[in-house]
Amino acid sequence: TPIPTPSPGGGPWRIPARVADALTGAAREALDRFVAQGILAKDREPGLYLYRQIMDGRVQTGVVGCVHIDDYESDVIRKHEKTRPDKEDDRTRHVLTLNAHAEPVFLLYRGLTEIDVLAESVVGTTPLYDFTAPDRVRHTVWQVGDAGLWTETFRAVPHAYVADGHHRSAAAARAALDDAGVPVIEVSHGDGLRSGARVPTWQSRGL
């Protein structure tokens, strides 16, 4: 594990550039290896997924899909934290080197009954994956059959809010402006302010 070194003047600790480059290169090698081994595969068609986590009896269900950087830049996706330029630079380099967004953004939106109804219709079907991890969190994933219907229904949601991933979303937007082929990430569903999942999918010019 690399040891970060303090910047001159005792400011925030940063990983040296040469170490950061080595880590990013190693990440690209790992991604290429996962793709070659079939551990990761790109979807043949654009789609949406429903992802549910259950921990200690608490349930969180998210809609996993893509959001456009235009919505991020026009404040349809709203932020509540400032970002550090050095962290943005690091995340942007990571996305461009991998040509993938390995760290999804977690968004919230205010609940909508129509989306809840759609979600209920999906969770009653056979999931793609359903397992309990060693930390006793149960993970269940369904593929959404009619992604177009979900997309149209989400048009009634006026705003989404970045709950986790301000630097990742800022970096994704920057990377998409540099490279029209980088991937994306997600929208969401739950109780009250709806919560999102953390599984990546692919498409150009997205978060």
Side-chain angles (χ1 to χ4, degrees):
T1 301
I3 300 175
T5 57
S7 60
W13 284 45
R14 296 183 174 89
I15 297 176
R18 60 179 177 78
V19 178
D21 289 342
L23 291 173
T24 303
R28 177 65 203 229
E29 291 175 2
L31 176 61
D32 290 343
R33 185 170 63 253
F34 282 7
V35 172
Q37 295 174 353
I39 297 171
L40 294 176
K42 183 177 180 178
D43 289 345
R44 294 182 178 179
E45 300 291 339
L48 296 173
Y49 295 85
L50 211 62
Y51 174 33
R52 184 180 66 193
Q53 295 175 315
I54 302 177
M55 181 178 67
D56 297 330
R58 297 190 298 274
V59 180
Q60 176 174 281
T61 306
V63 180
V64 181
C66 304
V67 291
H68 205 286
I69 62 167
D70 287 353
D71 289 337
Y72 177 82
E73 293 170 341
S74 64
D75 212 33
V76 171
I77 298 172
R78 297 193 167 179
K79 313 87 177 169
H80 65 271
E81 294 179 6
K82 295 185 181 300
T83 57
R84 282 173 34 192
D86 61 314
K87 288 190 67 176
E88 274 194 38
D89 291 345
D90 177 68
R91 294 298 84 200
T92 302
R93 180 172 62 247
H94 190 270
V95 171
L96 289 173
T97 300
L98 270 65
N99 194 33
H101 199 322
E103 300 173 298
V105 176
F106 186 18
L107 304 180
L108 299 176
Y109 69 94
R110 194 166 298 280
L112 193 66
T113 300
E114 291 83 352
I115 296 176
D116 294 346
V117 171
L118 289 177
E120 288 300 320
S121 70
V122 173
V123 298
T125 63
T126 302
L128 287 174
Y129 308 102
D130 188 4
F131 65 94
T132 299
D135 59 3
R136 295 185 295 181
V137 177
R138 182 177 176 182
H139 304 263
T140 311
V141 179
W142 296 265
Q143 186 166 14
V144 171
D146 189 349
L149 175 60
W150 282 73
T151 300
E152 288 302 315
T153 305
F154 260 100
R155 293 186 188 280
V157 177
H159 296 285
Y161 305 87
V162 179
D164 182 50
H166 282 81
H167 287 92
R168 297 191 297 276
S169 55
R174 285 177 51 185
L177 294 174
D178 288 341
D179 183 344
V182 298
V184 282
I185 258 22
E186 84 194 87
V187 208
S188 35
H189 168 86
D191 290 324
L193 276 177
R194 302 320 200 203
S195 63
R198 296 171 179 266
V199 178
T201 185
W202 303 69
Q203 183 174 309
S204 65
R205 284 179 60 78
L207 298 182

